[in-house]
Amino acid sequence: MNQFIEQIKTKFSKGEMHVKLIMINVSFFILLLLISILIKAGNSAFNLANYYSASSDFTSLLMKPWTIITYMFSHSIDGIGHILWNMVMLYFSGNIFAHKLGSKKLLTTYLTGGFVGYLFFAFGYNFLPAFRGLGEGMLTGASAAVLAVFVAIGT
């Protein structure tokens, strides 16, 4: 087990940025899954997603400003498909991105894409007529950030 942990540490410290982002996303997913299991055992009505998902309500964002970052690294814990396909896409697009544009620009692109994705979500949810009357929307997942990396290589 110690050898496995040392390999992960080495891969994280020497790996390219897309590998680091994948490791952070998967670690955060596992941590949220474990916390959710522990909390659900004691209180099945508690919704952990309220503390890491970004809300479409701007006043809620002011109360929990960290969610604009944490939503980019969290995924639905209802299944593995969401994180699996996001990380597969991040691995391949991140690999191409790192070789063409450099690994350091990848983090900036990832975070900027996630932030812009949130802005589109929040403004669309609050100002488009199709979403009126639905209440507060919650945003979870790295899809916007991963697609930003994918679009950056295409551009």
Side-chain angles (χ1 to χ4, degrees):
M1 186 67 164
N2 261 350
Q3 200 173 31
F4 177 69
I5 293 172
E6 288 302 317
Q7 286 177 340
I8 290 176
K9 286 180 184 177
T10 303
K11 191 72 169 172
F12 188 81
S13 64
K14 295 183 180 179
E16 291 185 345
M17 185 55 67
H18 66 288
V19 175
K20 290 178 183 180
L21 287 171
I22 290 169
M23 292 174 81
I24 292 169
N25 274 281
V26 170
S27 298
F28 198 58
F29 177 79
I30 292 170
L31 179 69
L32 289 174
L33 190 61
L34 293 174
I35 292 172
S36 177
I37 289 169
L38 292 174
I39 289 174
K40 293 279 182 181
N43 182 2
S44 61
F46 185 78
N47 188 4
L48 183 63
N50 289 335
Y51 295 96
Y52 63 82
S53 297
S55 172
S56 63
D57 182 23
F58 292 116
T59 56
S60 179
L61 182 66
L62 289 174
M63 300 301 289
K64 299 180 279 185
W66 62 86
T67 59
I68 202 155
I69 300 293
T70 56
Y71 100 87
M72 288 183 242
F73 297 97
S74 61
H75 293 80
S76 173
I77 55 176
D78 294 335
I80 197 164
H82 187 205
I83 189 168
L84 175 70
W85 293 113
N86 269 337
M87 295 306 102
V88 167
M89 193 167 171
L90 179 59
Y91 178 78
F92 288 111
S93 63
N95 198 21
I96 295 168
F97 187 101
H99 286 92
K100 297 287 183 190
L101 300 170
S103 190
K104 290 185 180 182
K105 293 178 184 175
L106 181 67
L107 180 61
T108 304
T109 304
Y110 183 91
L111 293 174
T112 303
F115 181 70
V116 170
Y118 170 76
L119 290 177
F120 273 106
F121 165 76
F123 283 112
Y125 208 92
N126 287 305
F127 299 114
L128 291 177
F131 296 108
R132 294 209 197 278
L134 292 179
E136 182 180 12
M138 300 300 277
L139 184 62
T140 301
S143 300
V146 172
L147 284 174
V149 173
F150 194 75
V151 169
I153 8 177
T155 307

